[in-house]
Amino acid sequence: MKLFILALMVTLAAAIVSLFVGVSDVSLSALFSGEADEKMLMVFAVSRLPRTIALVLAGAGMAVAGTIMQMLARNRFAEPSTAGTVESASLGMLVVLLLAPDLPVMMKMLVASTFALAGTSLFLLILQRVPLRSPILVPLIGLMLGGVISACTTFFAYRFDLMQAMGAWTSGDFSTVLQGRYEVLWIAFVLTVASYVAADRFTVAGMGQDFATNLGLHYGRVLAFGLVVVSMVTASVVVTAGILPFIGLIVPNLVSIVMGDKLRHTLPWIALSGAALVLVCDIVGRTVNAPFEVPAGSVLGVIGSLFFLNMLLRRRLRAA
Amino acid sequence: MIEIRNITKSYDSTVVVDAVTLTLRRGGITSIIGPNGAGKSTLLSIIARLIPTDKGTVMVDGLDVARTAGEVLARRLSILRQDNHMTTRLTVRDLVAFGRYPYNKGRPTAQDQEHINKALAYLGLEDLGGRFLDELSGGQRQRAFVAMVLCQDTDYMLFDEPLNNLDIRHAVAMMKLLRDAARDFGKTVVVVLHDVNFASCYSDQIIVMRDGKLFLQGPPSEIIRPDTLQQTYGCPFEVHDLGGDRIAVYYA
Ligand SMILES: Nc1ncnc2c1ncn2[C@@H]1O[C@H](COP(=O)(O)OP(=O)(O)OP(=O)(O)O)[C@@H](O)[C@H]1O
Ligand SMILES: [Mg+2]
């Protein structure tokens, strides 16, 4: 508990740093002493605050979504970006851009969620059908499925001259998060909290269908609920900031190594660490090459792929 | 009482459980023996509603397992399957605690804690409570799974080869534990066993399966005989009376 409070403080500190890093000058002292001019307050309320809130909600949500994905697929490598979820949500987003570009963000998110739900269900269906000899096959199947979906997206984006628009919102870039554009992330927040309420159910489901049935859990229902959470969280993040790869892989695995998988215990840590990691990646992205920004998603991509490789290699070593 | 009526299951066109009809009365230990592939595990899984049957019904105390709500059944009947791969990293204590899930939905009461402590003690796992499952030996893990089922404290308990991975001392302890559960606590225990001598010494009733069919059913004195065992397994047996138990010898 004490440790958790400490971690909470650290994350809070990161959030505060995130509030005050940026091209235009906003300082803490100015805000509180009342010296802040109107422009400064504007920047703070319209851009900085939404951005930091979005980072926290997206990070926490994606980390929890990754955990749920790992429980449902019963595989350590599964997460929205290795299960076809992210790519399906992006395809949904493209469809919206093509057919009804003026839909409110909320509706865009719902369409993207529906696509994500279909894609992730397809992934789980394939897993059920294919006899799996190695756990590494699971993310491979997910990546291949994601690749196929992504190719479709690119094809249509190219045909309809939407490549640039696509690029802009698939890069996990929080610089475009403004007031009025990030609020769907609160849905991700509600779902994250709901997952915590259902934590024991997810743990039991993660023990496998037979154990779950033996303990009287309605496995199908938990599976369906989990899929909805994963899809909607992913879609709301994709719609607001773009793709945040690997966060659902790194955080749940690290927490699992240290504390195990009893989710009632670990989910708060997972959510908090997810938020902290995304905050830090965003701050790094904003400072390494200032005044230009590297999207948080790209920073995560680098860290995440290294982590993923490391996980694979360590498996190899243990198996050898 | 478990009433198994005309249970039939096929995979593709192969019939693996063939019109099995069987009544298991309350109390006592029933062992199921038979060669590999005889359909023992499939039958046990169908009884515990883990596998849907093609034909027939299973009633537990009058409840049709295919139709009764999962959570209701989970308080009456529990099962441990033959192979258990768990990717979830839980400590032994947390795993055993989940045996109480049907009662507390994850919020253990003081009474639940008592059940958990007892189950850990019965299986000699007190010192391993804080260990993660993936840090245990095969036999220790098997005992942890059995402790979880024991903690579930249902009237009917089904175990598929619970002696898997256990050394001799722990195998004997396990069988004694099951016998005590049946004798002292009135539990109905059904076990699939490969060691016919454990079946002989500890069962009230033995069921023999062969080629998906119910081949024989009766007390050990009727089943553990050279001719029946030979017909079952297709290899020569001698049976000796040792201290009141019938012991099969088949090593030569
Ligand atoms: N999912 C499945 N698909 C196809 N065939 C199956 C499946 N499960 C079991 N079988 C077949 O059904 C038959 C009965 O299997 P079962 O596991 O019930 O045997 P068993 O009596 O428990 O054997 P063992 O002593 O080896 O555990 C076997 O021939 C097996 O190959
Ligand atoms: Mg078997």
Side-chain angles (χ1 to χ4, degrees), chain A residues 70-71 74-76 197 200-201 203-204 206-211 213-217 255-264 318, chain B residues 48-50 70-71 74 77-81 84-90 94-95 98-99 101-102 105-107 132 145 148-149 152:
Chain A
Q70 281 154 35
M71 289 290 148
R74 300 191 67 205
N75 184 285
R76 287 268 155 239
V197 174
D200 288 312
R201 266 168 249 195
T203 312
V204 173
M207 293 160 98
Q209 184 162 8
D210 293 334
F211 274 100
T213 307
N214 173 52
L215 292 176
L217 189 79
V255 172
S256 169
I257 289 168
V258 181
M259 309 207 280
D261 287 329
K262 193 183 171 194
L263 297 188
R264 174 154 311 281
R318 229 190 304 161
Chain B
R49 50 114 167 56
L50 300 186
E71 49 183 328
L77 171 135
S78 51
I79 182 170
L80 181 64
R81 290 193 70 166
N84 299 293
H85 304 286
M86 197 169 283
T87 41
T88 326
R89 248 180 130 238
L90 293 174
D94 285 340
L95 175 81
F98 272 113
Y101 184 82
K105 297 285 174 252
R107 311 266 174 190
F132 284 110
F145 287 136
M148 172 184 153
V149 171
Q152 204 175 329

Side-chain angles (χ1 to χ4, degrees), chain B residues 152-218:
Chain B
Q152 204 175 329
D153 195 27
T154 54
D155 287 342
Y156 299 89
M157 302 180 165
L158 318 182
F159 297 95
D160 198 346
E161 301 191 24
L163 306 183
N164 264 353
N165 291 320
L166 297 190
D167 64 32
I168 294 172
R169 181 168 77 94
H170 284 108
V172 172
M174 178 76 71
M175 289 311 294
K176 284 193 171 141
L177 181 71
L178 299 183
R179 188 173 61 188
D180 293 348
R183 212 183 259 169
D184 304 341
F185 297 99
K187 305 288 184 194
T188 309
V189 179
V190 183
V191 270
V192 174
L193 292 178
H194 271 301
D195 187 327
V196 291
N197 289 327
F198 269 126
S200 174
C201 297
Y202 285 90
S203 331
D204 298 296
Q205 178 185 220
I206 299 179
I207 287 166
V208 185
M209 285 191 74
R210 216 180 59 171
D211 299 329
K213 295 197 178 67
L214 177 70
F215 179 49
L216 290 167
Q217 178 181 7

Side-chain angles (χ1 to χ4, degrees), chain A:
Chain A
M1 196 62 212
K2 253 189 212 151
L3 259 178
F4 189 76
I5 290 171
L6 189 72
L8 199 66
M9 302 297 264
V10 171
T11 311
L12 222 67
I16 290 170
V17 172
S18 153
L19 281 175
F20 297 102
V21 175
V23 179
S24 52
D25 210 27
V26 178
S27 79
L28 193 57
S29 56
L31 273 182
F32 279 100
S33 60
E35 279 167 33
D37 55 27
E38 214 153 288
K39 179 168 166 274
M40 204 187 276
L41 281 173
M42 226 339 237
V43 169
F44 188 79
V46 175
S47 160
R48 293 293 169 73
L49 195 58
R51 178 175 191 156
T52 299
I53 292 176
L55 287 165
V56 169
L57 298 183
M62 285 308 279
V64 169
T67 312
I68 293 174
M69 214 44 230
Q70 281 154 35
M71 289 290 148
L72 300 184
R74 300 191 67 205
N75 184 285
R76 287 268 155 239
F77 298 102
E79 70 119 6
S81 66
T82 61
T85 316
V86 168
E87 290 79 3
S88 310
S90 306
L91 179 60
M93 191 66 183
L94 177 79
V95 169
V96 175
L97 282 191
L98 277 178
L99 301 181
D102 298 326
L103 236 45
V105 183
M106 188 65 183
M107 292 307 290
K108 283 184 181 154
M109 192 282 271
L110 284 178
V111 176
S113 300
T114 312
F115 274 76
L117 192 62
T120 319
S121 307
L122 181 63
F123 169 70
L124 288 180
L125 213 65
I126 296 174
L127 286 194
Q128 262 180 9
R129 292 291 158 85
V130 181
L132 294 169
R133 271 172 216 92
S134 152
I136 293 169
L137 278 179
V138 171
L140 275 183
I141 290 172
L143 289 171
M144 275 187 327
L145 178 67
V148 172
I149 297 171
S150 211
C152 295
T153 313
T154 312
F155 176 77
F156 286 109
Y158 189 74
R159 285 294 296 272
F160 294 97
D161 211 14
L162 283 170
M163 287 299 277
Q164 239 183 350
M166 289 281 302
W169 56 256
T170 50
S171 57
D173 181 357
F174 283 82
S175 63
T176 55
V177 169
L178 294 173
Q179 196 180 25
R181 277 210 45 196
Y182 81 99
E183 283 78 1
V184 285
L185 278 174
W186 286 109
I187 293 181
F189 174 74
V190 170
L191 290 169
T192 308
V193 173
S195 314
Y196 181 66
V197 174
D200 288 312
R201 266 168 249 195
F202 285 126
T203 312
V204 173
M207 293 160 98
Q209 184 162 8
D210 293 334
F211 274 100
T213 307
N214 173 52
L215 292 176
L217 189 79
H218 201 302
Y219 187 79
R221 262 182 233 158
V222 177
L223 190 69
F225 176 61
L227 279 174
V228 168
V229 170
V230 170
S231 305
M232 290 188 78
V233 168
T234 307
S236 52
V237 173
V238 166
V239 167
T240 43
I243 298 168
L244 286 180
F246 295 119
I247 183 104
L249 185 77
I250 303 175
V251 174
N253 275 288
L254 285 180
V255 172
S256 169
I257 289 168
V258 181
M259 309 207 280
D261 287 329
K262 193 183 171 194
L263 297 188
R264 174 154 311 281
H265 222 88
T266 58
L267 271 187
W269 281 95
I270 290 170
L272 191 66
S273 316
L277 183 58
V278 174
L279 279 169
V280 169
C281 284
D282 187 68
I283 294 169
V284 170
R286 277 194 265 175
T287 44
V288 273
N289 196 15
F292 303 105
E293 284 201 16
V294 181
S298 309
V299 180
L300 259 175
V302 173
I303 302 177
S305 23
L306 290 176
F307 184 85
F308 191 49
L309 266 177
N310 179 37
M311 255 179 90
L312 288 175
L313 288 175
R314 284 208 322 174
R315 278 203 81 84
R316 276 271 293 283
L317 286 180
R318 229 190 304 161

